[in-house]
Amino acid sequence: MTTVHIVGAGLSGLAAAVRLVERGRRVAIYDQADHAGGRCRSYHDSVLDRRIDNGNHLLLSANTAARGFLAVVGAGDSLTGPRRAAFPFVDLAGGMRWEVTFADGPLLGRLPLPPRGIPDVTLAQFMGAWRLRRAGPDATVAGTLDTGSALYRRFWEPLAVAALNTECAQAAARLLWPVVAETVLRGGRYCRPLVARDGLSESFVDPALAWLRARGAGLHLGWRLRGLTFAGERVAALDFAGDRQVAVDGAVVLALPPASAGRVLPGLDPPLETRAIVNGHFRVAAPLPRLPYDSPLIGVLGGTAEWIFLRRDVVSVTVSAADRLAEDEEPAIADRMWRDIRRAIDIDCGNELPVYRVVKEKRATFAHTPSSVRRRPKAQTRWTNLMLAGDWTDTGLPATIEGAIRSGNAAADLLQLGNSTR
Ligand SMILES: Cc1cc2nc3c(=O)[nH]c(=O)nc-3n(C[C@H](O)[C@H](O)[C@H](O)COP(=O)(O)OP(=O)(O)OC[C@H]3O[C@@H](n4cnc5c(N)ncnc54)[C@H](O)[C@@H]3O)c2cc1C
């Protein structure tokens, strides 16, 4: 049997590996890092003396590929979230609090009901969502929706910035539409917030590696791909740093970030513009409050923080499209975030800044602008035994866990379909 070589052990690479092994293929996985998981992993932080995630990650119950992946590797029960599709919000500027809830519509949920609970928003205003569907390739989110409305400020803008990690004036409206269509328009069953109960690695990475290893998959960490050797229409060898060459008798999935893929694949013109995400983690001594609906997170308007996540004794703040914030010094960022936390949630631990860690992911995702979206390549390449995967490839979705896993699945399916490797 030939081997499928998967370069990149982030979620797209792991998803490709799991699907190929499920279909009886032999796989070998390589990553330049000394760990798998890429941008979606957990680690021990020495300052906090806690295990934290490389950025808070939110999933929704509509993320069927992500949930399917977890089910296959035996981690289907490792996500947690409230029973209801509900999101508490606070507006620090206006001093208001509310909860957005999503219900299942009639006809077994086939008729969507708009979300409820957003102050000063009528149900009819949600009809504006259809403009996203008709948006042209150059349309931005801000150019498509009514930016003066309460609905925009209290719903569309936080949703779009979180999902697209790009400011609405620059973000492609066409990429927000699939998110809305797969979640908001399908009702409560598809809008439940989900987070990794113990950590991203504990959900997505460790169980997948154990599952793959038990089935004979090879995992090579500390292997950096430098180039590819081609023979006619096929990849013939993988050239790794340290003069390590691996002959390819089967196929290759490149599950690399766009800049790395662009360096090794001639002719690839990937989206290279990126946006930052800044996270602040605070270890607090006081008991954490319970949020409405037992939500693991609260949305924040009118401050620096955009989302506050609670897990055990760590309160974490996420700010997306945060390139400007990422330029600030960490103590100043922590100070602003902590002030927002104190105002957003009921936490009784004095005025002093607790132990904290600020993590700036300067290239968290590609920028979801119309011009970047045009540069997303298909999984299939002009080399018959080479597929691309990664959240930046043309999945039709934003760069998310769901998109990454779908891209890995798609690359694996194409290899099986073409049977190009046996
Ligand atoms: C801070 C932050 C917050 C996020 N929040 C959310 C969220 O709330 N919800 C959500 O769904 N998604 C979120 N995401 C996005 C999600 O993490 C990514 O979409 C997903 O992890 C991407 O997986 P990937 O496999 O495509 O890429 P990666 O995880 O980047 O994997 C690529 C792998 O390739 C390896 N590599 C690179 N170059 C080479 C080379 N030359 N040779 C060998 N290996 C190489 C890297 O080490 C890496 O392991 C967030 C991301 C960040 C950074």
Side-chain angles (χ1 to χ4, degrees), residues 7-13 30-33 37-40 54-58 223-225 255-257 260 277 279 361 364-365 390-391 399-402 404:
V7 192
L11 291 191
S12 60
Y30 310 83
D31 201 291
Q32 67 177 10
R39 280 170 280 158
C40 182
N54 177 49
N56 307 309
H57 279 59
L58 177 70
W223 285 55
R224 183 169 62 81
L225 188 71
L256 299 171
S260 298
I277 296 179
N279 277 269
E361 275 278 351
T365 69
D391 62 359
T400 51
I401 290 177
E402 180 70 7

Side-chain angles (χ1 to χ4, degrees), residues 37-324:
R39 280 170 280 158
C40 182
R41 69 193 162 84
S42 319
Y43 57 90
H44 182 82
D45 182 89
S46 56
V47 173
L48 296 168
D49 193 22
R50 292 289 182 274
R51 212 168 142 74
I52 57 170
D53 289 339
N54 177 49
N56 307 309
H57 279 59
L58 177 70
L59 294 103
L60 294 172
S61 44
N63 294 161
T64 47
R67 297 175 78 189
F69 170 84
L70 293 178
V72 170
V73 301
D77 61 353
S78 70
L79 300 182
T80 180
R83 290 160 65 93
R84 276 207 66 181
F87 294 78
F89 271 90
V90 56
D91 184 345
L92 299 180
M96 281 173 89
R97 289 178 187 273
W98 65 93
E99 284 111 38
V100 184
T101 58
F102 299 81
D104 287 319
L107 295 180
L108 293 171
R110 283 198 196 96
L111 276 186
L113 285 179
R116 291 168 181 271
I118 310 167
D120 308 321
V121 170
T122 62
L123 297 188
Q125 289 172 348
F126 276 94
M127 294 310 283
W130 294 105
R131 277 190 240 133
L132 292 170
R133 185 178 188 188
R134 293 198 308 267
D138 292 317
T140 62
V141 172
T144 304
L145 298 170
D146 173 9
T147 56
S149 65
L151 178 61
Y152 178 81
R153 202 177 105 69
R154 295 184 174 146
F155 185 75
W156 291 126
E157 189 174 32
L159 172 69
V161 173
L164 307 182
N165 188 29
T166 305
E167 54 285 8
C168 289
Q170 306 268 312
R174 272 201 171 172
L175 263 192
L176 186 57
W177 170 251
V179 178
V180 174
E182 290 195 12
T183 58
V184 178
L185 292 185
R186 292 170 81 196
R189 223 172 307 160
Y190 300 90
C191 297
R192 276 182 56 222
L194 294 169
V195 293
R197 189 185 50 231
D198 298 318
L200 290 172
S201 289
E202 287 76 2
S203 282
F204 286 95
V205 186
D206 301 344
L209 293 181
W211 188 93
L212 286 163
R213 281 199 178 105
R215 288 156 184 80
L219 177 66
H220 308 275
L221 297 175
W223 285 55
R224 183 169 62 81
L225 188 71
R226 263 193 345 204
L228 301 169
T229 300
F230 298 95
E233 294 186 332
R234 296 174 65 83
V235 178
L238 302 172
D239 303 310
F240 289 95
D243 287 332
R244 286 183 287 201
Q245 194 178 61
V246 174
V248 174
D249 60 349
V252 175
V253 176
L254 283 190
L256 299 171
S260 298
R263 274 194 290 274
V264 296
L265 195 58
L268 188 71
D269 181 25
L272 292 177
E273 198 187 340
T274 57
R275 289 292 185 273
I277 296 179
V278 176
N279 277 269
H281 306 274
F282 301 82
R283 197 189 77 205
V284 295
L288 296 186
R290 281 176 73 163
L291 296 173
Y293 295 100
D294 274 334
S295 174
L297 79 166
I298 178 168
V300 183
L301 306 185
T304 297
E306 290 173 349
W307 299 93
I308 297 174
F309 288 72
L310 309 185
R311 186 194 278 157
R312 291 186 283 275
D313 62 351
V314 177
V315 182
S316 302
V317 168
T318 292
V319 185
S320 300
D323 295 71
R324 205 175 299 160

